[in-house]
Amino acid sequence: RSACPPSMTDISGQHMPMNQPPLGAEDVAQYLRVHPEFFESHADLLASITVPHPHGGRAISLQERQLEVLRERHRLLEVRLADLMRIGQENDAITDKLQRWTRQLLLVADAEKLPQALLEGMQTGFNVPQLAMRLWSLREPYRDLPCAAPVEVDAITLANSIKQPYCGPNADFLAATWLPEGGSATRSIALLPLRKGLDPNAFGLLVLGSPDPGRFQAGMGTAFLERIAETASAALSRLVT
């Protein structure tokens, strides 16, 4: 009489030869993914299986563990939602400041007063501790303004090369010397080139500085700084040739 090979029962209740490799953890996981109805026909297992508690030594049922996982996911979603709401509120506040600043510039009737009004509005409205601006290629009536002080060729070349606002540490930029105290207390800086329409060459450079190294960081979003540069360029364009 031929002997039947010994067998064992797999997770599905079927018999398999003993010489087949034993099931591994990934095999079990894959089976449950493919057969999600398994626990419907073995509902008693949900209550009888226990797993270690993630924050303690006691054992809990599989159902409790699932609840723990869902609670943790819910907590992470709440944190993410709170972050999104905070960012949205901050963006709304900046948008309001930008709108008020733009309105102030539109109300300046005397073009000669525009540069000072622009800088004062930025300092008070956006709480920028250090500000400076230089303009070149100005029309004759405006060449004696403080912002029309001589500008080094290197600074003009830098402004022409910047396609979007630069933010980062003050790496001894020549334009940083325009800031109060020659920029000696400036640890982070933002450089905003000013352009007339689509002209690739800048007619000025707006410099924002801070003693806080983290105020203007490399890699930070520059969308609002770009809007500031565009608005300032549009307002000041009537001063240049």
Side-chain angles (χ1 to χ4, degrees), residues 131-134 136 151-152 154-156 158-159 162 170-180 182-183 186 189-192 204-209:
L131 276 169
M133 183 172 65
R134 291 288 189 275
W136 47 90
V151 179
E152 299 82 351
D154 288 348
I156 295 177
L158 174 65
I162 299 175
N170 177 18
D172 296 326
F173 288 105
L174 191 59
T177 62
W178 306 341
L179 294 168
T186 305
I189 197 169
L191 303 175
L192 282 63
L205 186 63
L206 184 58
V207 184
L208 289 63

Side-chain angles (χ1 to χ4, degrees), residues 22-32:
L23 290 174
E26 184 55 37
D27 297 317
V28 176
Q30 179 62 25
Y31 178 85
L32 293 176

Side-chain angles (χ1 to χ4, degrees), residues 67-85:
L67 286 175
E68 290 284 347
V69 171
L70 291 175
R71 290 192 188 100
E72 180 62 17
R73 289 179 181 174
H74 180 70
R75 186 189 68 80
L76 293 175
L77 288 174
E78 285 185 330
V79 171
R80 178 60 178 158
L81 179 59
D83 285 342
L84 291 174
M85 291 179 65

